Amino acid sequence: MDRMTGDGGIRQRQTTAARAKGGLLVLGLFVVLLFIIELVNMGMLRSLNRTFGLRPRSADGLLDIFTFPLLHANLNHLLSNSLPLIIFGFLVFLSGLRVFLTALAFSWLGSGLVVWLIGDGGITVGSSGLVFGLFSFLLVRGFINRSWRQILLAVVLFMGYGSILLGILPIVAGYVSWQAHLGGAAGGVLAALLLRPREGQPRRVS
């Protein structure tokens, strides 16, 4: 009994370490890709934003849903999104690649769809919708999963970053897309609901 428990603990630590390495690699490569695109965009005088930025309520804009988070208004815009994207994405990735991809996809699509539906008419770019989606996923999944470890993490994250949730309100500055933030956050919550353990399934505590 003790030997099996010890072996299981070793395997769990190895799995967590592998996920941590994988998360750093995936998030690091994604952010590097964003910087490469930003440099290309700068060299093209921001023409990528005009072509692939999200235009609300236009037929072509539906395709822009898949490209607009990869573009940014300027380098400072990208820098402000990069660190929280790495932090939140890494924490989600610790629960596995499937969980990460699901949360990312719902955040991406939720952000884009809300901007397309109720955007103010300008061109929207930026990955902040992904940041809000991953953050909201981390905030609510512990309560949905009834995992005290995840709830504790949510409390710590809320204390450190909770103020960013003001970004989902229409009162934010006009150049900030609260629609993208709101849609991303909603997508993160939906992902947490979709990934909740079914009856009879073991509950994960990672």
Side-chain angles (χ1 to χ4, degrees):
M1 179 70 71
D2 290 341
R3 181 177 178 79
M4 291 177 63
T5 301
D7 290 346
I10 293 173
R11 286 195 296 270
Q12 179 64 33
R13 288 193 294 272
Q14 290 174 338
T15 301
T16 301
R19 288 177 176 175
K21 292 178 181 178
L24 288 175
L25 178 62
V26 170
L27 271 300
L29 289 175
F30 183 64
V31 170
V32 167
L33 173 63
L34 294 182
F35 273 94
I36 291 174
I37 293 173
E38 172 63 18
L39 292 175
V40 173
N41 202 12
M42 290 171 59
M44 298 179 66
L45 304 178
R46 301 287 165 194
S47 63
L48 294 181
N49 287 4
R50 295 188 294 272
T51 304
F52 299 105
L54 181 48
R55 294 154 290 175
R57 294 173 299 281
S58 68
D60 291 342
L62 288 172
L63 294 177
D64 299 331
I65 289 174
F66 300 100
T67 57
F68 85 101
L70 302 174
L71 302 165
H72 290 80
N74 49 55
L75 185 58
N76 286 336
H77 184 204
L78 173 55
L79 289 171
S80 67
N81 284 332
S82 295
L83 182 59
L85 186 60
I86 291 174
I87 293 173
F88 301 150
F90 173 76
L91 292 173
V92 174
F93 200 99
L94 290 178
S95 293
L97 179 61
R98 183 179 69 91
V99 172
F100 171 75
L101 291 178
T102 302
L104 183 70
F106 273 74
S107 303
W108 196 307
L109 293 176
S111 177
L113 287 173
V114 171
V115 171
W116 190 85
L117 288 170
I118 62 173
D120 60 9
I123 295 176
T124 299
V125 294
S127 57
S128 57
L130 307 184
V131 171
F132 275 75
L134 296 171
F135 183 53
S136 67
F137 176 85
L138 291 167
L139 289 183
V140 304
R141 67 168 180 170
F143 298 96
I144 294 173
N145 297 343
R146 289 177 289 185
S147 166
W148 66 267
R149 292 184 182 180
Q150 293 176 354
I151 291 174
L152 179 59
L153 175 61
V155 171
V156 172
L157 288 174
F158 183 79
M159 292 175 62
Y161 294 95
S163 61
I164 71 171
L165 293 176
L166 294 174
I168 67 175
L169 302 176
I171 60 174
V172 297
Y175 58 86
V176 176
S177 177
W178 63 268
Q179 298 94 333
H181 299 168
L182 177 62
V189 173
L190 287 175
L193 289 170
L194 177 67
L195 293 169
R196 71 186 183 277
R198 301 294 189 269
E199 291 299 325
Q201 285 184 332
R203 297 185 179 275
R204 298 184 181 274
V205 295
S206 59

